[in-house]
Amino acid sequence: LPKAPTPMTAALTKLSYSVAPAATVYFYTNEEWRGIEKRAREYDAKLDGLYKEYEERTTQAEKERQRQKSFRDRAADAVTGGSASRKESVKLMTKEDFERMHRDEIPGEMRSCNEVVQMAKKMAEKNGINIYSLLGKKKEIAQSGNSTEQYMDDLEEYVGSRGAYTPIVKFTEIQLNNPALEGIEVIDTPGLNDPVQSRSRETEKSLMQCDAVFLLSYCGQFLGAEDIEFISHTLPY
């Protein structure tokens, strides 16, 4: 499967067997995408508020610093008979630099939804795609002839980390001509800590239908509290 660097591009994927490789890509519904855009706007509002607070704090601190400096300069002038006209000012960080340093102060779901929306906008502009015309729909991808390479390239546009349609994909069903898949279905998920809630719900629904679940855990802290919580309260008995 194509690797994804972040949960924002790691959509749930269902794998099954087929003599002729094919795939079905499911896009977010209009309602789900509106929810993602709403969280993205909340991110922007939260960032604006944090940056405004930073500006006010910095400006106030600078005023106090200048007041103290002016007092010291006047005192020095009284001793030396000079004239103090030296002025300095602090330079505010740009909003972009501030965001890089403080984005972790904003809830994860807001951050992730903002990244998804920004990614979708860039992909749409770059490739001339109207993402709203695709919401709530699905895309069928089939292998043409024996060109497995072309099939994988086509699929990469929907599930790859740089795919033109990846940001708006909710989950994908992929059929491969791999004998190891005969008689079974494998579901690869981004996990339940996916900040995009609609995908987490899709993962939970899939877990309820599975016969076996393989849980990957960090080797440095095997089966930590979060893993135990997952096994105890999420997996079906």
Side-chain angles (χ1 to χ4, degrees):
L1 293 175
K3 294 181 181 179
T6 66
M8 281 60 76
T9 57
L12 181 144
T13 305
K14 298 179 180 180
L15 298 168
S16 59
Y17 175 79
S18 175
V19 175
T24 304
V25 178
Y26 295 84
F27 298 109
Y28 287 115
T29 65
N30 283 278
E31 182 181 359
E32 288 167 340
W33 189 251
R34 283 196 298 271
I36 291 173
E37 289 183 318
K38 179 176 180 292
R39 291 291 183 272
R41 290 192 297 271
E42 290 172 354
Y43 172 90
D44 290 334
K46 182 70 173 177
L47 177 63
D48 288 342
L50 290 173
Y51 188 68
K52 185 177 180 180
E53 290 175 4
Y54 157 72
E55 286 182 310
E56 291 174 349
R57 287 195 310 269
T58 305
T59 301
Q60 189 61 36
E62 175 62 12
K63 286 180 179 179
E64 178 61 23
R65 192 181 74 84
Q66 290 290 357
R67 188 183 70 80
Q68 295 289 343
K69 181 178 182 298
S70 177
F71 175 79
R72 290 194 301 271
D73 288 343
R74 288 196 303 271
D77 290 342
V79 174
T80 63
S83 176
S85 59
R86 301 174 294 277
K87 282 192 175 181
E88 298 175 4
S89 61
V90 69
K91 185 178 180 181
L92 288 169
M93 278 191 290
T94 65
K95 192 173 181 180
E96 290 74 20
D97 288 339
F98 179 85
E99 181 178 13
R100 280 192 290 271
M101 293 181 63
H102 296 272
R103 65 190 313 275
D104 288 345
E105 297 175 23
I106 303 175
E109 185 181 357
M110 292 183 193
R111 295 200 309 268
S112 299
C113 288
N114 178 71
E115 290 185 23
V116 168
V117 170
Q118 294 304 318
M119 197 186 307
K121 286 180 179 178
K122 289 179 182 178
M123 295 296 189
E125 291 173 1
K126 179 181 178 181
N127 300 284
I129 299 170
N130 179 3
I131 62 174
Y132 297 98
S133 67
L134 297 171
L135 298 177
K137 297 180 181 179
K138 61 182 180 180
K139 170 71 176 179
E140 305 284 348
I141 303 172
Q143 178 175 314
S144 178
N146 295 319
S147 181
T148 303
E149 185 176 342
Q150 182 59 51
Y151 166 70
M152 294 305 293
D153 286 344
D154 292 342
L155 188 59
E156 188 80 11
E157 285 296 305
Y158 297 88
V159 299
S161 61
R162 298 182 183 276
Y165 302 92
T166 297
I168 59 172
V169 172
K170 183 177 179 181
F171 70 93
T172 310
E173 294 177 345
I174 300 177
Q175 296 176 313
L176 298 172
N177 188 354
N178 184 334
L181 289 170
E182 287 194 63
I184 65 171
E185 182 178 70
V186 177
I187 302 176
D188 179 48
T189 84
L192 284 178
N193 59 345
D194 190 332
V196 181
Q197 292 300 310
S198 58
R199 288 203 306 217
S200 284
R201 286 193 292 271
E202 190 66 31
T203 297
E204 289 179 356
K205 186 171 72 173
S206 297
L207 285 170
M208 295 303 106
Q209 301 169 349
C210 286
D211 298 296
V213 176
F214 292 87
L215 175 65
L216 301 183
S217 177
Y218 289 106
C219 60
Q221 188 180 4
F222 183 65
L223 292 183
E226 186 177 342
D227 297 324
I228 298 299
E229 176 74 14
F230 169 76
I231 293 171
S232 302
H233 296 94
T234 304
L235 292 182
Y237 288 100

